[in-house]
Amino acid sequence: EMYHILLVCSEGMSTSMLVKKMQDAASEKGVEATIWAVGDAESVEEVKKADIILLGPQVRYLEKKMNERVKNEKPVLVIDMMAYGTMNGAKVLDQALGKLNGQV
């Protein structure tokens, strides 16, 4: 199964590092995932391609707007602040996969 995981953030720098770490974690787990990051403005089109939308903690205020944008048909998740702060890609990936596979 291929997962499409979109991260939405305010500034792309830190998030691109997190994306890289999540991709590394996915390879280690043998999980096939396309993981990419965009800013809010670009996310309008990008959410259509995603299975789950992850929000950086600094844009958690977008949660309601994102849920409306995906018409509540896809999970929208705010990334755990500790995991984000420590760039723990494996933890963020687990958070996303858990949500996609119906665990909380």
Side-chain angles (χ1 to χ4, degrees):
E1 190 177 0
M2 178 65 140
Y3 297 101
H4 298 86
I5 302 171
L6 174 65
L7 280 69
V8 177
C9 55
S10 53
E11 79 314 314
M13 258 323 278
S14 54
T15 310
S16 59
M17 193 195 302
L18 184 60
V19 166
K20 172 93 181 65
K21 294 203 170 188
M22 288 175 71
Q23 287 165 336
D24 293 345
S27 319
E28 279 169 33
K29 285 180 191 292
V31 171
E32 283 192 69
T34 300
I35 306 166
W36 75 108
V38 296
D40 177 37
E42 302 96 319
S43 70
V44 181
E45 282 303 308
E46 296 295 322
V47 294
K48 297 173 185 166
K49 302 180 232 171
D51 299 318
I52 185 168
I53 294 91
L54 301 182
L55 297 178
Q58 69 281 55
V59 292
R60 60 172 357 118
Y61 61 88
L62 292 174
E63 193 172 6
K64 186 172 181 285
K65 185 165 94 172
M66 282 297 160
N67 278 313
E68 287 164 4
R69 194 171 282 170
V70 297
K71 303 178 178 60
N72 293 311
E73 287 163 8
K74 298 173 181 186
V76 173
L77 199 61
V78 177
I79 298 170
D80 177 79
M81 197 176 273
M82 269 302 291
Y84 190 90
T86 56
M87 289 285 135
N88 187 338
K91 187 170 180 194
V92 178
L93 181 69
D94 286 345
Q95 205 187 356
L97 296 177
K99 185 83 171 171
L100 282 169
N101 295 317
Q103 302 122 12
V104 178

